[in-house]
Amino acid sequence: MTTIRLPGLVDVHTHLRVPGQTHKEDFASGTAAALAGGFTTILAMPNTQPPITTPEILDLTRAEAQATARCDVGIFAGAAINNSHLLPLLAHHSCGLKIYLDQTFGPLRINDLATLMEHFATWPGPQPIAVHAEENSLAQVLGLAAIYQQKIHICHVSRRAELELIARAKERGLPVTCEVTPHHLFLNSDDAARLGPYGQMRPPLQSEYDRAGLWELLHFVDCIATDHAPHTRAEKESSTPPPGIPGLETALPLMLTAVDAGKLTFSQIIELMSTAPRRIFNLPAVEENTWIEVDTGAIWSIPQFGWQTRAGWSSFAGRTVRGRVERVILRGVEVYAQQIVMAAPGCGEVLF
Ligand code: NCD
Ligand code: ZN
């Protein structure tokens, strides 16, 4: 057994379904999945029911996180068509503003230019604006970031051309960062055809040309984020399957397998999954008594069942990976070991 110690990982893109859809996930189950995957901090998305677009709903969600989260949690505020006047209030207690310019799960979406301009003009920072912006929408938000001098973070980049455009924007000095997901790095449109609803998410799985492009241009990627988007098996097998797949418990094993294959290094994993996420979202430095232990030699097959996430399935089932989270220590307390979550609900902290 080769055990290495890594700093607690940070996932800057997690869907926890609080409030309103806790049959898919809640803070207790989602943060248990986070710990099992080696994440000690996660940032939760606002496309809940109702969406997190007012100070009241943000406060209620923070209180629920404080009472039930097993790892540290930050919460995004969502941009709605009618809430730009609330952004200064929402900024105090959120890890960033999330704007959806493209189709997603739930009704949160802005495609009216005047409203977008209002949000870019009003968001006070210093936290970034995280955007779901694909293809032409990406060019649109890069223009808005330049004009309003706002720090933007591009969520789940999935196409080669998008990453090339982000690279050009960075070369021009634009305040832009970006994330890619493990599913866009490890699966392509052929897998989508094989997986049916379990291969459906936004943005969709892309061609092999695009998937390979993400690896070729990995030096322009700031962080790996899971876009953990849990839905139940019954929902996925319905006639209208919602988009999204769980990812917290498989992200690190997949990335460690890529290290084993020579595609990146351990120090790149630390940068992409811990250091850069903390820097981009101004999170506190990892405490000395918070770390994870990983067996880099463990070879295992990703199972169909036995997950902490309430989704209870994985699109990667059947894949052999090398590398496994053995133990997680949060502020001196053993919170995960030998595949058992020991963390009590409420031991996580709410950030911001
Ligand atoms: C996400 C979800 O289910 O909330 N689904 C997805 O396919 N990624 C929404 C999103 O991230 O846009
Ligand atoms: Zn998402």
Side-chain angles (χ1 to χ4, degrees):
M1 188 159 116
T2 322
T3 300
I4 60 163
R5 197 185 264 210
L6 300 176
L9 306 182
V10 178
D11 185 27
V12 302
H13 191 145
T14 309
H15 297 269
L16 289 179
R17 313 303 189 200
V18 178
Q21 293 176 316
T22 52
H23 67 284
K24 294 176 193 276
E25 200 77 290
D26 63 12
F27 282 115
S29 63
T31 54
L35 291 174
F39 295 94
T40 53
T41 301
I42 58 181
L43 303 185
M45 285 293 162
N47 62 331
T48 50
Q49 240 179 37
I52 303 170
T53 53
T54 67
E56 294 73 27
I57 298 168
L58 178 60
D59 285 350
L60 283 173
T61 312
R62 293 177 75 246
E64 183 66 21
Q66 192 65 74
T68 56
R70 303 176 203 256
C71 72
D72 296 351
V73 176
I75 298 171
F76 280 97
I81 48 171
N82 55 0
N83 76 341
S84 65
H85 62 293
L86 297 174
L87 298 190
L89 289 172
L90 287 164
H92 291 305
H93 291 302
S94 58
C95 59
L97 175 68
K98 176 72 185 278
I99 307 184
Y100 291 90
L101 285 90
D102 289 296
Q103 205 187 334
T104 179
F105 173 66
L108 265 194
R109 183 168 174 186
I110 298 183
N111 37 28
D112 162 64
L113 179 62
T115 312
L116 269 178
M117 287 162 63
E118 247 171 63
H119 280 83
F120 269 84
T122 315
W123 178 249
Q127 294 306 105
I129 299 178
V131 292
H132 178 161
E134 300 178 41
E135 301 194 280
N136 288 337
S137 312
L138 172 62
Q140 189 182 1
V141 291
L142 290 173
L144 289 164
I147 291 162
Y148 291 96
Q149 280 300 300
Q150 286 281 12
K151 266 190 277 173
I152 57 166
H153 176 75
I154 313 296
C155 296
H156 41 48
V157 176
S158 65
R159 298 171 182 88
R160 187 187 285 259
E162 292 166 346
L163 198 45
E164 278 170 358
L165 185 62
I166 291 166
R168 300 292 87 78
K170 287 183 171 192
E171 285 161 8
R172 287 272 174 165
L174 255 67
V176 56
T177 54
C178 70
E179 67 189 35
V180 297
T181 69
H183 49 270
H184 291 117
L185 284 170
F186 290 91
L187 301 174
N188 65 19
S189 46
D190 295 339
D191 296 298
R194 170 177 62 84
L195 290 163
Y198 298 102
Q200 280 177 30
M201 76 293 290
R202 300 288 174 172
L205 296 174
Q206 308 291 349
S207 66
E208 181 54 23
Y209 171 78
D210 282 317
R211 189 195 72 86
L214 300 183
W215 283 105
E216 280 166 35
L217 300 172
L218 197 64
H219 48 291
F220 291 113
V221 172
D222 295 279
C223 56
I224 302 295
T226 68
D227 193 10
H228 176 85
H231 301 287
T232 65
R233 282 174 195 265
E235 289 164 340
K236 277 300 207 183
E237 283 172 20
S238 73
S239 55
T240 52
I245 66 170
L248 283 169
E249 291 165 85
T250 46
L252 182 60
L254 288 166
M255 295 309 293
L256 290 170
T257 306
V259 171
D260 190 53
K263 297 186 85 150
L264 80 171
T265 63
F266 285 121
S267 59
Q268 273 178 291
I269 289 203
I270 295 171
E271 166 68 13
L272 290 164
M273 300 181 78
S274 184
T275 316
R278 288 177 200 281
R279 187 170 62 234
I280 295 166
F281 286 92
N282 304 311
L283 307 179
V286 66
E287 294 106 329
E288 260 174 34
N289 53 358
T290 294
W291 73 86
I292 69 173
E293 288 170 18
V294 172
D295 178 358
T296 56
I299 296 174
W300 55 292
S301 174
I302 295 183
Q304 298 275 2
F305 297 95
W307 302 104
Q308 298 293 334
T309 172
R310 215 158 263 169
W313 50 271
S314 170
S315 306
F316 297 100
R319 183 181 284 251
T320 300
V321 286
R322 189 183 171 113
R324 182 167 212 150
V325 178
E326 289 294 323
R327 227 158 71 97
V328 178
I329 310 292
L330 179 66
R331 287 181 278 275
V333 178
E334 187 180 58
V335 286
Y336 177 82
Q338 273 95 46
Q339 299 179 59
I340 294 174
V341 176
M342 277 95 85
C347 75
E349 285 180 3
V350 177
L351 308 170
F352 304 95

